[in-house]
Amino acid sequence: MAIPEVVLSSTSPATAARAIPVLGMGTGLGHFTPEQRPATKHAILQAIELGYRHFDTAAMYQSEDVLGEAIAEALQAGLIHSRAELFITSKIWCADAHRDLVVPAIRESLRNLKLEYLDLYLIHWPMRLKAGESYPPIESHHILPFDLKSVWEGMEECHRLGLAKHIGVSNFTTWKLAELLQYAKVPPAAVQVVEMNPTWQQKKLREFCKEKGVHVIAYSALGGQDIFMGKNLVMESQVLKDIAKAKGKTVAQVSLRWVYEQGASMVVKTLNKERIEQNMKIFDWELSEEDKHKISQLPQCKRVTLRSMLSAEAASKLPDEDEVVEE
Ligand code: NAP
């Protein structure tokens, strides 16, 4: 069954923007190493062959160029006929979250991807680092005050120049998103990408996004990769295991189906062909009211936090209010 698509509302009528396939493949592999390149490219090609058209990358993941190579090969092999069939997302890293670095940053991402435009460009985190300072663990002396208004102006310029069909944000709280919506000229910031799954349901944020017409894309829809945290609360949930068993589905499918039924899109990471295929098989069945009620009662626990990207020294200086946790 083909992956359903959602039309995003923000683009100007003049922009021929592609609808977003609700299931995409994530290429953020935690700690990406050169050894993972061939397997990653192979998995992307397999996904395209199976019908995936939506791929998620970021400057920070260092997977942009592998994705670009896979896209070029897919075109050459005739797996797709044109780049326009794809929906490609990338994200600006915090060290480029400076007004004058935004357009150069998207141009660099496009160079890596060998593409002329992105379907979606996101502010990866509401945080600014000193230019040139790179990746986690982040030291406190690299952190600068984040000027959302000026960074968003840079994002709007990317949109105006045709380098990004849609612009949006990631890891924003409702109050940060509300601030942005007050002055965003490209109306509205159409997409918010956040951690979301049955054990971190994001109810408050989703309600806010629905009211404002902002589409939510879930990451860590399967609870995330265990390199960050030993226990995977989604995959180990007895409630989800019971629902999966009764339905003849896997826990992964139940979790992804739940995300889909909340009206969100999702980007899921796996390089395993059977799993890539299994994760697509969520569109021709439903969770019952009883299943949904049980899932709504699951204990909630946030996994990805700003704190998790900081060095111990920087985390110790983080004021509590920066660790806002919303349910
Ligand atoms: P995830 O999609 O929740 O995946 C978690 C783990 O589930 C993977 O390690 C994978 O293991 C496993 N898996 C996948 N399909 C499965 C299946 N059918 N059955 C059992 N296990 C399965 O994790 P994520 O990487 O946190 O999120 C996905 C993507 O979202 C990332 O790759 C990235 O592109 C994006 N992301 C964005 C942000 C952001 O700040 N915007 C943050 C985190 C992630 P195997 O690989 O061993 O199959």
Side-chain angles (χ1 to χ4, degrees):
M1 191 173 176
I3 297 172
E5 301 189 348
V6 170
V7 176
L8 297 174
S9 59
S10 76
T11 33
S12 59
T15 317
R18 192 200 186 295
I20 183 168
V22 300
L23 172 65
M25 181 180 195
T27 66
L29 301 191
H31 302 296
F32 192 74
T33 60
E35 295 74 50
Q36 289 168 310
R37 292 177 64 91
T40 306
K41 189 164 84 178
H42 186 62
I44 294 168
L45 285 164
Q46 284 180 323
I48 293 177
E49 206 167 355
L50 286 165
Y52 282 66
R53 293 293 179 265
H54 168 187
F55 293 88
D56 178 81
T57 182
M60 186 229 188
Y61 301 161
Q62 298 171 43
S63 59
E64 289 177 325
D65 59 342
V66 173
L67 177 56
E69 280 172 27
I71 293 169
E73 275 187 35
L75 280 163
Q76 215 168 23
L79 298 179
I80 45 172
H81 302 297
S82 112
R83 180 264 177 262
E85 290 174 38
L86 300 174
F87 188 101
I88 306 296
T89 299
S90 193
K91 314 181 191 86
I92 186 167
W93 182 239
C94 310
D96 289 319
H98 301 245
R99 173 65 184 89
D100 54 334
L101 297 184
V102 179
V103 171
I106 193 173
R107 290 199 192 280
E108 176 67 20
S109 287
L110 290 170
R111 246 190 315 276
N112 290 336
L113 284 156
K114 299 175 241 350
L115 297 179
E116 287 176 2
Y117 68 89
L118 292 175
D119 296 276
L120 176 60
Y121 196 44
L122 301 169
I123 299 178
H124 204 151
W125 281 89
M127 178 163 75
R128 182 161 70 129
L129 298 177
K130 279 186 188 164
E133 296 302 342
S134 53
Y135 301 126
I138 294 161
E139 302 291 338
S140 63
H141 62 278
H142 292 159
I143 302 173
L144 297 173
F146 177 62
D147 180 0
L148 174 56
K149 191 164 188 284
S150 73
V151 175
W152 191 253
E153 281 167 12
M155 299 292 282
E156 286 173 333
E157 193 180 345
C158 295
H159 178 68
R160 217 172 24 249
L161 292 169
L163 303 174
K165 300 267 183 192
H166 298 276
I167 50 178
V169 297
S170 181
N171 298 303
F172 274 41
T173 53
T174 43
W175 50 269
K176 231 358 175 204
L177 193 54
E179 180 195 328
L180 173 59
L181 291 173
Q182 277 172 18
Y183 44 69
K185 290 195 195 95
V186 173
V191 179
Q192 156 84 304
V193 179
V194 285
E195 180 181 5
M196 176 183 160
N197 58 53
T199 64
W200 188 245
Q201 300 187 4
Q202 296 274 20
K203 265 174 100 173
K204 182 178 166 199
L205 181 86
R206 283 193 285 116
E207 273 159 26
F208 180 79
C209 286
K210 192 170 175 195
E211 187 192 314
K212 302 292 180 190
V214 175
H215 185 62
V216 172
I217 304 177
Y219 70 74
S220 296
L222 298 177
Q225 300 172 46
D226 52 19
I227 47 164
F228 296 113
M229 198 180 264
K231 195 167 156 65
N232 185 320
L233 296 175
V234 173
M235 300 308 281
E236 293 171 30
S237 160
Q238 194 54 51
V239 169
L240 297 181
K241 282 181 187 172
D242 291 344
I243 295 171
K245 192 169 175 211
K247 290 210 134 39
K249 306 291 176 192
T250 65
V251 171
Q253 288 172 319
V254 169
S255 186
L256 300 182
R257 177 74 204 183
W258 177 85
V259 171
Y260 175 59
E261 289 191 13
Q262 308 317 302
S265 295
M266 65 203 98
V267 286
V268 183
K269 179 258 157 185
T270 178
L271 303 184
N272 174 303
K273 189 179 179 193
E274 282 80 51
R275 288 176 171 181
I276 293 172
E277 197 167 7
Q278 181 195 120
N279 295 344
M280 293 175 78
K281 296 181 179 167
I282 58 164
F283 300 115
D284 57 355
W285 54 277
E286 287 176 5
L287 294 168
S288 67
E289 288 307 316
E290 196 190 342
D291 296 335
K292 282 186 274 198
H293 176 71
K294 283 184 189 157
I295 292 174
S296 74
Q297 303 300 305
L298 286 174
Q300 297 295 293
C301 177
K302 183 161 175 56
R303 190 187 60 96
V304 183
T305 60
L306 184 56
R307 196 177 287 275
S308 63
M309 294 202 301
L310 304 181
S311 69
E313 170 268 335
S316 69
K317 292 186 183 157
L318 192 70
D320 281 349
E321 61 269 28
D322 278 6
E323 271 288 77
V324 175
V325 164
E326 299 178 318
E327 276 192 45

